[in-house]
Each structure stands twice: as structure tokens, then as C-alpha cells.
């Protein structure tokens, strides 16, 4: 199973102290932040070699690299 980093914004369950895993994963949050960075950069948005699928793939690769770095 792929490491998704768990919940991006976990909420503590006040009843038993467990972390409730709801909402988006940390991996998806990293992807969103990477995508925002790319889309705010004119060199990315104006470069013809960037396809929508290629950009999304790159964002997931970056998110996976960030999750790997957290484990070190």
C-alpha cells in the first residue's frame, strides 16, 4: 500500500485519545501545494512541454518524495 502520509489535518478524538483520520491525506495536500506553486509560475504555465497529465504526475512524484524525506 502506498504511503499517503495519513490525515493532513487529523482531529483528536476526545473520548479515547485516538487520532481520527478524516478528510484528505497528507499526500494529496502536498500535491495541491505543489500544483499551486507550479500554476503560479509563468515558466510552467506558459511552457508548451507541460501537459495537464504530465504536470499532475510531476506533482504526485514530488509529494511522494516529500513523504519519503519525512521518513528519514
Amino acid at each position: 500500500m502506498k504511503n499517503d502520509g495519513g490525515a493532513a489535518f487529523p482531529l483528536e478524538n476526545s473520548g479515547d485519545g485516538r487520532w481520527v483520520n478524516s478528510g484528505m491525506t497528507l499526500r494529496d495536500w502536498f500535491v495541491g501545494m505543489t500544483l499551486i506553486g507550479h500554476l503560479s509560475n509563468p515558466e510552467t504555465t506558459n511552457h508548451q512541454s507541460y501537459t495537464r497529465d504530465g504536470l499532475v504526475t510531476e506533482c504526485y512524484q514530488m509529494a511522494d518524495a516529500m513523504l519519503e524525506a519525512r521518513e528519514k
Side-chain angles (χ1 to χ4, degrees):
M1 182 159 112
K2 186 160 220 45
N3 176 11
D4 64 11
F9 306 103
L11 302 171
E12 186 173 359
N13 181 332
S14 59
D16 62 7
R18 289 183 308 121
W19 290 97
V20 177
N21 191 2
S22 61
M24 80 169 70
T25 64
L26 186 57
R27 182 176 186 241
D28 287 334
W29 190 76
F30 282 161
V31 169
M33 295 294 100
T34 303
L35 184 59
I36 288 169
H38 273 303
L39 294 178
S40 67
N41 181 352
E43 289 186 26
T44 300
T45 55
N46 293 333
H47 201 281
Q48 291 183 3
S49 69
Y50 275 97
T51 64
R52 187 176 2 197
D53 290 341
L55 185 58
V56 170
T57 298
E58 186 175 318
C59 289
Y60 272 101
Q61 290 171 344
M62 180 65 74
D64 291 340
M66 286 188 262
L67 289 170
E68 286 178 29
R70 291 181 81 224
E71 293 177 1
K72 293 181 182 178

